[in-house]
Amino acid sequence: MQVVRTIAEMRQLVASRREKGETIGFVPTLGYLHEGHISLVDKAKRQCGFVVLSIFVNPLQFGPNEDYAKYPRDAKRDLELAAKAGVDAVFMPEVTEMYPDFPQPIKTMVHVSEITDTLCGASRPGHFAGVATVVLKLFNIVRPDQAFFGLKDAQQVAVITAMVKDLNVPVEIVPCPIVRDADGLALSSRNVYLNEQERQQATVLHEALSGLEREIRANGATIGALKQKLAAVIAAKPLAQIDYAVILTYPDLKPLPDATLIADLKPDRELIAALAVKFGGTRLIDNKIFRPSEVHAHV
């Protein structure tokens, strides 16, 4: 496994592999790797000849009162996990390699409109502009054929997919399923922040999402009733502080009237039940993307 720290070296390495006819798979991460990241690598290895994983804690996507400074980092452990997973190259640049004038702001940012106005885009102003900007930079450096993103952050997948389409970026975005711990909690680098009691109560996110199927199967279920049920299940945990618990269309992330009957939606209409909940100082997200017709088909 090669560890690459400069943009020039990364471009040269990928170009040499492409000359050999290999397809390039790319897994961008903030580091502090877990099995969710490794599942992306596994899929990339199945589909591509040469797999690049990036480790870069991007300051542009953190707000002034967020956890950029304390975001968990462990380069040695990350490199060991990447090597064990069969990654071919790790791109691990310094902040000044990606942003030479840092901490001065860069002059060009990528803004994806509308789908960034809700969910985490509303709670974390500027977050997705930071995400879209660094991902486009990474795409221009690595120039992958396919890039693999976990659906735990389904809004991020929607944003990156829209950016690639609108700006004609020659890469295929491959969404990958959420990976969960044995108790259902979605794997996240931020889970390390949780104390024992918070960790136990955080499983309510998966519990609330799993309960949606029962509610949808009930005759007369409405969008409003489903949202109320989500919030009620989560609010039963004393440490849970709800940022949002909503149901929107996916991937355009538009709200539906609360009175909308699930049974009246088009069978192929995709919806997302999306959650953001704080436990102590830790903000966790989770979601479930579903088609009402598929849920009914399992009755």
Side-chain angles (χ1 to χ4, degrees), residues 4-192:
V4 182
R5 299 189 183 275
T6 70
I7 292 169
E9 185 185 355
M10 189 72 252
R11 283 178 167 161
Q12 184 178 23
L13 175 61
V14 170
S16 69
R17 293 293 180 159
R18 194 177 294 285
E19 285 175 2
K20 296 177 181 178
E22 291 181 310
T23 55
I24 310 300
F26 181 43
V27 180
T29 82
L30 297 180
Y32 212 72
L33 303 182
H34 52 65
E35 285 302 316
H37 299 116
I38 302 307
S39 73
L40 304 182
V41 172
D42 290 344
K43 187 159 189 176
K45 283 178 64 63
R46 289 195 298 271
Q47 298 184 193
C48 302
F50 189 77
V51 175
V52 178
L53 180 140
S54 66
I55 296 173
F56 181 63
V57 184
N58 173 40
L60 267 61
Q61 68 194 68
F62 290 80
N65 299 314
E66 294 185 343
D67 58 344
Y68 173 69
K70 71 170 187 174
Y71 192 85
R73 296 164 170 88
D74 191 336
K76 181 176 182 292
R77 173 181 168 275
D78 283 348
L79 291 175
E80 289 172 353
L81 288 172
K84 185 178 179 181
V87 170
D88 296 298
V90 173
F91 181 47
M92 189 183 290
E94 296 292 336
V95 173
T96 50
E97 178 71 11
M98 294 293 285
Y99 307 114
D101 297 325
F102 186 82
Q104 295 299 316
I106 64 172
K107 296 179 177 62
T108 305
M109 295 282 286
V110 179
H111 173 67
V112 179
S113 64
E114 296 185 9
I115 55 176
T116 60
D117 294 339
T118 186
L119 303 180
C120 291
S123 303
R124 306 177 66 188
H127 169 69
F128 284 114
V131 169
T133 300
V134 77
V135 170
L136 184 58
K137 284 172 69 71
L138 289 167
F139 285 170
N140 285 333
I141 294 164
V142 179
R143 298 176 185 173
D145 297 288
Q146 295 183 314
F148 299 79
F149 290 83
L151 278 168
K152 183 174 74 71
D153 193 339
Q155 185 175 20
Q156 175 176 269
V157 174
V159 168
I160 299 304
T161 301
M163 177 190 75
V164 163
K165 177 185 175 184
D166 291 346
L167 300 184
N168 302 107
V169 184
V171 60
E172 178 189 353
I173 303 303
V174 183
C176 301
I178 297 171
V179 178
R180 300 183 180 277
D181 215 331
D183 59 6
L185 183 66
L187 297 185
S188 168
S189 299
R190 287 188 170 96
N191 289 352
V192 70

Side-chain angles (χ1 to χ4, degrees), residues 260-274:
T260 302
L261 285 165
I262 296 295
D264 288 345
L265 294 172
K266 292 181 179 179
D268 61 346
R269 189 44 161 146
E270 276 199 318
L271 303 177
I272 181 170

Side-chain angles (χ1 to χ4, degrees), residues 119-120 123-124 190 243-244 276-278 281-285:
L119 303 180
C120 291
S123 303
R124 306 177 66 188
R190 287 188 170 96
D243 181 351
Y244 59 75
V277 182
K278 287 187 74 173
T282 305
R283 183 178 182 275
L284 301 179
I285 59 172

Side-chain angles (χ1 to χ4, degrees), residues 185 190-202 239 279-282:
L185 183 66
R190 287 188 170 96
N191 289 352
V192 70
Y193 296 155
L194 299 168
N195 64 33
E196 184 178 353
Q197 191 176 15
E198 291 164 350
R199 176 66 178 74
Q200 290 173 351
Q201 294 196 20
L239 298 180
F279 294 87
T282 305

